[in-house]
Amino acid sequence: MVDEHYLDLSIFFLGPLMLFPERLPKDNTDSAKRKAMEDEMTNMLNNPEKNEKIRPSTKSQPKDKAQFKDALKRLLTNKVFMYNFGSSLFYVFAFMGFGTFMPKYIQYQYNTKGSTSSAVSGMIGTVSKAIGLLISGWAIQKWRFSARLLSGWNVVLGILTFTSMIVFSNVGCPSTNIPINLDGACNADCACPQDARINPICAKDGATAFYSPCMAGCQSYYYDKNTRTKMYSNCTCIEESWMQNNMSLTEEWIKKGPLKFMDYPSKSNILTAQEKSKVTPNDEAIGGFCPVDCKNVFVIFSTVMFLLMILGSTGRVGNVLVALRCIDVRDKSLSMAFNVVFLSLLAMLPSPMVYGAIMDTTCTLFQRECGETTNCMLYDLPLMRKTLMLTTAFIMSIGVIFDIAVWYHCKDVHIFDPKEEQEAQEVPEQKEQNGTSKQI
């Protein structure tokens, strides 16, 4: 028995494929020309008398290796093709590497849940590209842009993305400093393991965080079912820091504590209570990182990145068309294989490893298990933001240089056949003439 879910999926994906015609209707396509050549060779073989006169000698035909070398040489010496390949190489390297770590970047930089960061990354990395590819394909087919215009658009997109990366390297959310090694009298009797997993807690001043309840010297806790968080008390290190650093309760904790009997406390009442809390030691904390007001910055980042990905993907169709039109028809299959193989080897495979190493350089605390270093538990967030954004901007700047070279050298590249363009222009004119004659 076949599962109904698999059957529904097969119908869903096979349905659109069934709408495609068996053959393309145009007669001047590459496949049509190849079919005509095959038919001509078949006719030659069926007519031996003519075949003896026309058939070339097998000894004069170049060997496969020589043909491959000649085709590869034509590709490597084709300036437009190689510059276009260089542009694709650096763009794929940048976006593949940054896209791999975008969920982690969003989660740590903007203090979001793992599910939220994954969903936003999927929207930015997948949905936006699909929209951009559809829009660009429709626009190119409708207005038949030239190769120079398409390559110039790629230059504009590269500069725009480069500028955005530079801006976002300086725009981020405030981060909370968490002391890692807190060896003192306040937690001397707790015997806190140095290689324990991070379990942060936040004091009621809303800004002081500790690596774990043990590091904070907490001795008791209870679970709040309403907020679904753990509340810690009798934290000796928090009490000690409270007096040393002149800490005070946040407005939220003032309303929940000293002023909980007042429905609408005034600003002066809140300030008075906060001043009193500075001289009254507090030894309580709440589980989790200290709250950071980062919603607006997160929305701006997500929106701008989504729009950038849509615009950036509009240039990929033109990039592929230029790569296919700047070479001979006989070299198209080799050019596609060349792009797939070397983009995989030089961009898709190494870029996640390179970006992973860059992420590790911003780590301030690695998890250790059985004496071995494993995952990173704490990052230097400002350093992470600047390093990732500036590295991506630098790699993309090299791609922009290659795009400029493509724009300069693609003067003689035709995306569409001039005869097709002339026919496309004549059809509307004929329709207008026919409509005029009917009216007369």
Side-chain angles (χ1 to χ4, degrees), residues 275-331:
E275 288 297 325
K276 290 181 179 180
S277 67
K278 292 181 180 180
V279 296
T280 305
N282 186 284
D283 59 0
E284 297 176 335
I286 183 173
F289 289 97
C290 291
V292 177
D293 186 11
C294 202
K295 184 177 180 180
N296 294 334
V297 180
F298 175 57
V299 171
I300 293 173
F301 172 81
S302 302
T303 304
V304 173
M305 289 299 295
F306 185 79
L307 296 176
L308 278 178
M309 286 295 181
I310 292 178
L311 291 175
S313 59
T314 59
R316 295 306 93 196
V317 175
N319 184 274
V320 174
L321 289 176
V322 171
L324 292 175
R325 295 303 185 186
C326 70
I327 57 176
D328 295 336
V329 175
R330 54 183 174 173
D331 297 333

Side-chain angles (χ1 to χ4, degrees), residues 70 237 280 324 330 370 407 413 419:
D70 292 340
C237 294
T280 305
L324 292 175
R330 54 183 174 173
C370 300
W407 173 82
V413 177
K419 294 182 180 179

Side-chain angles (χ1 to χ4, degrees), residues 216-232:
C218 298
Q219 301 175 20
S220 59
Y221 76 93
Y222 70 93
Y223 182 75
D224 190 344
K225 294 182 179 180
N226 295 326
T227 59
R228 296 182 180 181
T229 55
K230 290 183 178 181
M231 303 297 298
Y232 296 89

Side-chain angles (χ1 to χ4, degrees), residues 4-137:
E4 295 181 358
H5 296 289
Y6 290 103
L7 184 60
D8 294 339
L9 286 174
S10 62
I11 295 175
F12 176 78
F13 286 107
L14 290 176
L17 295 178
M18 296 172 64
L19 300 177
F20 284 92
E22 183 180 358
R23 292 183 179 275
L24 293 176
K26 295 183 179 179
D27 297 330
N28 56 348
T29 59
D30 297 337
S31 59
K33 294 177 182 178
R34 187 161 47 250
K35 184 67 170 55
M37 293 177 63
E38 293 176 357
D39 293 340
E40 185 178 352
M41 292 297 296
T42 303
N43 293 330
M44 292 172 59
L45 293 174
N46 293 333
N47 298 316
E49 297 178 356
K50 296 182 179 180
N51 189 27
E52 293 296 331
K53 299 179 181 179
I54 302 175
R55 183 189 300 174
S57 175
T58 56
K59 296 182 180 180
S60 63
Q61 294 180 357
K63 297 181 180 180
D64 292 340
K65 291 183 178 180
Q67 290 179 341
F68 176 77
K69 290 181 179 179
D70 292 340
L72 185 61
K73 183 179 180 180
R74 286 193 296 270
L75 290 181
L76 296 177
T77 54
N78 189 320
K79 291 183 179 180
V80 177
F81 177 80
M82 292 306 299
Y83 288 143
N84 194 72
F85 170 75
S87 170
S88 301
L89 177 66
F90 286 97
Y91 277 117
V92 170
F93 194 102
F95 283 109
M96 179 68 71
F98 184 76
T100 302
F101 292 94
M102 185 178 288
K104 179 177 286 190
Y105 178 85
I106 292 176
Q107 181 179 357
Y108 280 90
Q109 285 290 331
Y110 302 104
N111 197 20
T112 62
K113 297 180 180 179
S115 58
T116 303
S117 62
S118 298
V120 173
S121 299
M123 290 288 292
I124 294 175
T126 304
V127 178
S128 60
K129 291 180 181 178
I131 295 173
L133 290 174
L134 290 174
I135 293 175
S136 60

Side-chain angles (χ1 to χ4, degrees), residues 33 75 150 170 185-186 202 211 216 247 285 327 336-337 344 373 426:
K33 294 177 182 178
L75 290 181
L150 292 175
N170 298 292
C186 61
C202 182
Y211 181 81
M247 297 159 59
I327 57 176
M336 296 296 291
S344 300
T373 302
E426 291 177 354

Side-chain angles (χ1 to χ4, degrees), residues 229-412:
T229 55
K230 290 183 178 181
M231 303 297 298
Y232 296 89
S233 58
N234 297 326
C235 302
T236 54
C237 294
I238 294 180
E239 183 179 3
E240 183 180 293
S241 299
W242 196 278
M243 300 304 297
Q244 292 178 353
N245 301 323
N246 198 25
M247 297 159 59
S248 62
L249 293 173
T250 61
E251 183 175 338
E252 179 184 2
W253 289 113
I254 288 290
K255 292 179 179 179
K256 292 180 179 179
L259 301 183
K260 63 181 179 180
F261 59 90
M262 299 178 64
D263 294 333
Y264 300 101
S266 63
K267 191 68 175 177
S268 60
N269 291 332
I270 294 175
L271 293 176
T272 302
Q274 285 180 332
E275 288 297 325
K276 290 181 179 180
S277 67
K278 292 181 180 180
V279 296
T280 305
N282 186 284
D283 59 0
E284 297 176 335
I286 183 173
F289 289 97
C290 291
V292 177
D293 186 11
C294 202
K295 184 177 180 180
N296 294 334
V297 180
F298 175 57
V299 171
I300 293 173
F301 172 81
S302 302
T303 304
V304 173
M305 289 299 295
F306 185 79
L307 296 176
L308 278 178
M309 286 295 181
I310 292 178
L311 291 175
S313 59
T314 59
R316 295 306 93 196
V317 175
N319 184 274
V320 174
L321 289 176
V322 171
L324 292 175
R325 295 303 185 186
C326 70
I327 57 176
D328 295 336
V329 175
R330 54 183 174 173
D331 297 333
K332 283 187 177 182
S333 58
L334 180 60
S335 69
M336 296 296 291
F338 183 91
N339 276 290
V340 171
V341 171
F342 286 101
L343 283 178
S344 300
L345 290 176
L346 302 178
M348 296 182 183
L349 290 178
S351 61
M353 294 185 287
V354 172
Y355 272 78
I358 293 173
M359 288 286 290
D360 288 341
T361 60
T362 65
C363 182
T364 57
L365 178 65
F366 283 97
Q367 172 70 33
R368 293 187 62 84
E369 295 181 355
C370 300
E372 295 183 358
T373 302
T374 56
N375 299 328
C376 181
M377 295 186 291
L378 285 177
Y379 289 96
D380 185 342
L381 297 184
L383 180 62
M384 176 203 288
R385 182 178 66 249
K386 287 184 176 294
T387 303
L388 282 183
M389 289 297 179
L390 294 179
T391 300
T392 304
F394 172 74
I395 296 173
M396 291 191 62
S397 66
I398 303 176
V400 173
I401 295 174
F402 279 102
D403 278 333
I404 295 174
V406 173
W407 173 82
Y408 181 79
H409 289 282
C410 71
K411 303 174 184 177
D412 300 327

